[in-house]
Every structure is written in structure tokens, then in C-alpha cells.
Amino acid sequence: MPLSKRAYGTGIDVRLNRKHQRTLEAIFSPRVPATLQWRRIEALFMALGATKKERGGSIVTFKLKDEDALFHRPHPQKEAKRYHVRKAKEFLEQVGITP
């Protein structure tokens, strides 16, 4: 069941389901996970209200609260590389979102 929560002091109302909450916790865990699927990170960004702009190849840009973050999707594997997870954490911190 989705939970309606205020996005951690950002003033944005979002609906985070259990999977989104677990993804957020994994991103902010002390040990950077190596098995976190990239699509879960994308789904979390979208649930938080980010807009996504597809670029050429595997490049995607997310915009949330006037902050932009550019990522290269991992391929051919599904799992995000550790540097993707670290960059996702930095992006979320920039917009004031923490677990």
C-alpha cells in the first residue's frame, strides 16, 4: 500500500511505496550496494517527482527541484554500478531528500 509522505523537508508531497522506501534506504546505506537494479533508482526518482529526459544512447538526465543529474545507464547488465549509486545519493542530498 503506498504511503503518502512529505518528501523529507522538501515541501513536496510524494507517494513512496515500500519498494521505493527500500531503494532509498539502500542508496543511503553505509555500504554501497552492488546488486541494486538501475530501474529501481529510476523508479524512485520518478516517484519523488523528477522529470526524465532521454538523451542519445544510454544517457538520461533527471531534474528535481531545479537540480539536474546526468547518468549513463548501465548496460548490458541490469545492476547499477557503485558509482551510479553514489551519484544518486549525491543528487538526492542536493535536493534535500534523505531517509
Side-chain angles (χ1 to χ4, degrees):
M1 178 176 178
L3 303 173
S4 181
K5 296 185 177 183
R6 192 163 287 281
Y8 309 101
T10 64
I12 303 171
D13 283 321
V14 296
R15 295 184 69 80
L16 290 181
N17 63 24
R18 185 77 174 145
K19 192 171 237 182
H20 296 144
Q21 186 64 37
R22 285 186 185 149
T23 302
L24 184 65
E25 291 166 2
I27 290 170
F28 280 88
S29 68
R31 290 181 47 115
V32 179
T35 59
L36 183 60
Q37 290 187 357
W38 172 251
R39 64 186 171 92
R40 288 183 55 191
I41 295 173
E42 280 196 30
L44 173 64
F45 288 166
M46 300 308 287
L48 291 169
T51 57
K52 178 171 68 170
K53 184 175 181 184
E54 302 282 342
R55 303 261 177 131
S58 62
I59 299 172
V60 62
T61 302
F62 294 94
K63 183 176 183 104
L64 183 62
K65 286 190 66 179
D66 298 325
E67 294 288 337
D68 292 329
L70 182 126
F71 292 90
H72 292 203
R73 280 195 185 103
H75 55 82
Q77 70 278 10
K78 297 182 219 176
E79 291 80 20
K81 301 225 183 272
R82 288 189 168 134
Y83 70 87
H84 289 123
V85 178
R86 282 191 293 268
K87 187 169 180 179
K89 179 181 176 182
E90 291 170 7
F91 175 55
L92 293 170
E93 287 175 333
Q94 283 178 333
V95 296
I97 297 173
T98 58

